[in-house]
Amino acid sequence: MKGRWLPDADNSLVRWLPLCVVVGSVAGLGAAGLHGLLDVCTRHLLTGASGFRPVAGAASGSVMPSASRPWAVPLVAAAGAACAAGLAKWLAPEAGGHGTDAAIHAAHHDPLGMRARVPAVKAVASALTIGTGGSAGTEGPAAQMSAAVGSVVARRAGLSPDQARTAVVVGLGSGVGAIFRAPLGGALLAAEMLYRRGADLRVLPQALVSAVFAQLVFGMCVGSGTLIGVDPLLGVHGVRHGSDSGGIGGVGAVVALAVVGVAAGAAGRLYAACFCGVHDRVAAWARSAPRLMLTAATGGLLAGALGLLIPGVLGTGYGLLPALMDHDVLAGVPWWVVLAIPAAKLCATSVSVGFGGSGGVFGPGLVIGGGVGALAWRVAEPLGMAPHDPTVFVVVGMAACLGPIVRAPIAVLVMAAETIGDAGILGPGIVGVLAAAAVVGDATLYRSQPVGPPAAGAD
C-alpha cells in the first residue's frame, strides 16, 4: 500500500476496514507462528533434554513437576534465556523484555517507527525463553509483534501519526486477543490499556474488526476452542447452577468474592512492585550484551530450579489453570503447594523476564491470580463459604489480580470469561475486580502508560 490511504479528516470504519483486515489477519498469523514455535521449542529443548512436561490441564493427572533428568531443567532454562537475550540485543534491542510496555510506548511516542524485523526477532527470542522453561506469557510477544505489524501497515498506507497510533493499538489488541482466543477482550484491551485512567473508546470499532479477523486466522491455523479447557455447556458451577451444584448465594457470596478480590489485588500489587523493581535494577547494570546474557542465564537458572518444586512455574503456566478449576485435582494438591503457587510464579517471572529474558508478564498475572483464588477456595470450601466447584474462585482471582495492575479491569474480566467460554463469570467477577482495584490503587505493571487521555481539543 503506497500513497495516502486515509485523509486526516476521514476515520470512518468503512475506510479503515481494509487496514483492519490486513492488520488482524497478519496478527493472527503471527500469533499462530509464535504458538507453533513455542510448541517446537518446548518439545525439543525442554522436554527433549530434561524429560520435563509442563502441566496440561486436569487430564494430565498429578500437577506436581517431574523430570527424568531434573538436573538438566535449570541448565536448559539458563541457556535458552541467555540465547534469547543475546539475539534480541544483537538484532533488535527493543524486542527484549516483555513487549507490551514497548508497544504502549511506541503507540504514544513513535507509532510510525516500529521496525519490520521486530516480529520475527520477538517470536524467536520469546519462544527460546519460554520454550526452555522461562516463566513468561505469550501475550506480551504477541502484543509487540502485532503492534509492529500495525506500524508497518501505517507507514505503507501513508497514515498520519494519530492514525498510525490507532493502527498500532489495534494491532496490539488483536495479537493478545488471538493468543488468548478472546477477540472481544482483545478489542477492549486496545482501548483500555493505553492509559492508567480512562480509555480511548474511539479505537473500539477498528479494534473489534481487527481482533475478529485475528481470531479467525489464528483458529484456522491452530484450532478453535477456549484457552482454558472448560466445557462451556457445563457452565461455571456455583454461578449458573446455584445451589444445585453446591453454589453459594446472597451476602455470603459477595463477601467471599470480595475477599478473593482483596487477596488477588494485593498479590497483583506485589507482583507489579517486584517485577518493576527487579527489572529496573538489572537494566541499570546489564547494559552490555555479555552482562545481559549473564543476568538472563542467572534468571533462567533460578526459575528452572524453582520449577522443579512448584507446578505452573515453568513456561506459561496456562495449563495449570484448568487443573486448579477441577475439584478433585485441587483438593488433592498438598497445602504447602497451593500456598506456594502464587509466590513461586511471581518470583520466577521476575527473574525470568526481569533479568533479561523475553516474554510477557500479562499471562503470569493470570496464573498468580488463579493461584490466589485456588488458595482462597481451599480455605473457604470446608467452611461452607465456597461452591463445590472451584472454577469461580480461580477465574475471579485471575481477573482481580491482573485487571487492575494493567489498568484494564473490564477488558481482562471479559477476557477471563472468554477463556472459559462462559459469560456467567462476569457478575461475580465485577465484585472481585472492584475489591481488587481498591487495594491496587495507582500501581501499574506498564510504566509507559500516561495518566490519562489528552483533553478534548488538546494537541
Side-chain angles (χ1 to χ4, degrees), residues 41-387:
C41 287
T42 302
R43 284 190 290 110
H44 293 285
L45 298 180
L46 180 60
T47 303
S50 69
F52 180 92
R53 296 181 183 276
V55 181
S60 61
S62 173
V63 300
M64 294 304 294
S66 63
S68 56
R69 294 173 292 279
W71 55 268
V73 172
L75 299 180
V76 171
C83 290
L87 179 72
K89 185 73 172 178
W90 176 42
L91 294 177
E94 66 270 36
H98 57 94
T100 307
D101 215 28
I104 294 172
H105 183 274
H108 288 296
H109 301 288
D110 191 17
L112 287 164
M114 298 185 76
R115 295 193 289 177
R117 71 175 66 176
V118 166
V121 175
K122 189 66 179 177
V124 174
S126 298
L128 281 172
T129 299
I130 306 170
T132 55
S135 175
T138 51
E139 79 304 318
Q144 189 174 19
M145 292 163 60
S146 303
V149 169
S151 182
V152 172
V153 169
R155 284 201 301 273
R156 292 284 186 176
L159 302 189
S160 68
D162 186 60
Q163 292 167 333
R165 173 185 164 280
T166 298
V168 168
V169 300
V170 161
L172 184 158
S174 298
V176 177
I179 210 76
F180 277 111
R181 283 87 155 176
L184 180 55
L188 290 170
L189 201 70
E192 200 176 6
M193 202 167 67
L194 280 181
Y195 303 99
R196 299 190 187 196
R197 299 175 187 167
D200 187 356
L201 300 180
R202 297 174 301 170
V203 305
L204 263 181
Q206 294 94 329
L208 186 56
V209 171
S210 184
V212 167
F213 274 90
Q215 173 61 24
L216 288 173
V217 172
F218 182 84
M220 286 189 292
C221 296
V222 175
S224 59
T226 57
L227 177 69
I228 298 174
V230 177
D231 186 349
L233 296 178
L234 298 178
V236 176
H237 298 315
V239 178
R240 179 175 293 176
H241 297 277
S243 59
D244 292 340
S245 59
I248 53 176
V251 176
V254 174
V255 172
L257 293 169
V259 170
V260 174
V262 169
R269 181 163 188 160
L270 180 63
Y271 174 42
C274 289
F275 173 79
C276 293
V278 168
H279 178 271
D280 290 348
R281 284 168 175 77
V282 170
W285 183 79
R287 296 185 181 276
S288 65
R291 285 189 174 189
L292 182 61
M293 293 176 69
L294 176 62
T295 58
T298 302
L301 198 68
L302 294 173
L306 190 57
L308 289 172
L309 301 174
I310 310 297
V313 167
L314 299 185
T316 63
Y318 301 155
L320 178 65
L321 293 172
L324 295 180
M325 295 178 195
D326 185 279
H327 175 278
D328 294 336
V329 173
L330 179 55
V333 176
W335 260 104
W336 72 270
V337 174
V338 180
L339 184 64
I341 285 171
K345 192 64 177 177
L346 186 157
C347 293
T349 305
S350 296
V351 297
S352 289
V353 184
F355 275 30
S358 181
V361 293
F362 185 105
L366 293 176
V367 179
I368 293 167
V372 171
L375 176 61
W377 180 86
R378 282 290 295 264
V379 174
E381 199 266 344
L383 302 176
M385 298 178 64

